[in-house]
Amino acid sequence: MVSEAVYKEVLLALTYQNRKHEVKDHIVIPLGLVQNGGRLFLICQYQMTHDIRSLALNRIQKAKIVTEKGSYIPVRPPKGFTLQAYLADKPFNEFEDTIKTVHLSFKIRSPEGINDFIEMPFNETQRITMLKDGEAQIDVDIEDSLY
């Protein structure tokens, strides 16, 4: 739903849980999707305050395209706004120093599953150790998305 709203340039209603675990409803103008490390963010403008924010996609609890009389409500970025300039001008993740990581370790037997982790690793810290009987152990440090 979020990527559809970005692509179609339409108003989006969402429920978002911030880093303090506060849950609020917002109406936003979607401006773009960006990836920082392994996380995706919606860059958007709050309709009421006109603030431009980056919202972690994993913290969006609900999202719905806003309609009026069955039609989408088209939106445009603020005058002069470009995603490239926004990202160049602002430290993208001002909370970078407070990000916590967790170590994930698991075993997998499926040859297809093992191949998936070889082709699409979590990140650069991922290590795959082949064990007996075709089993593999996956070890990786990942960002704690609940923090």
Side-chain angles (χ1 to χ4, degrees), residues 32-91:
L33 290 171
V34 297
Q35 184 172 354
N36 185 16
R39 295 181 74 183
L40 290 172
F41 291 84
L42 169 66
I43 308 302
C44 62
Q45 180 181 34
Y46 286 4
Q47 186 185 36
M48 297 298 288
T49 64
H50 303 290
D51 293 340
I52 296 178
R53 301 285 175 94
S54 58
L55 305 178
L57 253 56
N58 63 297
R59 294 186 183 279
I60 296 175
Q61 295 180 346
K62 289 188 238 174
K64 182 179 180 184
I65 292 176
V66 178
T67 59
E68 186 175 35
K69 297 181 183 177
S71 297
Y72 293 152
I73 300 173
V75 294
R76 293 283 177 240
K79 186 173 179 137
F81 175 87
T82 67
L83 193 55
Q84 292 80 5
Y86 172 78
L87 295 173
D89 183 48
K90 176 181 171 57

Side-chain angles (χ1 to χ4, degrees), residues 77-125:
K79 186 173 179 137
F81 175 87
T82 67
L83 193 55
Q84 292 80 5
Y86 172 78
L87 295 173
D89 183 48
K90 176 181 171 57
F92 180 65
N93 189 349
E94 63 260 22
F95 303 110
E96 193 75 40
D97 59 336
T98 62
I99 292 175
K100 292 187 177 180
T101 59
V102 294
H103 183 76
L104 177 65
S105 181
F106 60 95
K107 294 179 183 175
I108 186 168
R109 287 193 176 104
S110 162
E112 294 84 4
I114 294 168
N115 192 53
D116 286 345
F117 287 106
I118 292 169
E119 290 179 355
M120 297 176 291
F122 280 101
N123 60 40
E124 68 280 351
T125 69

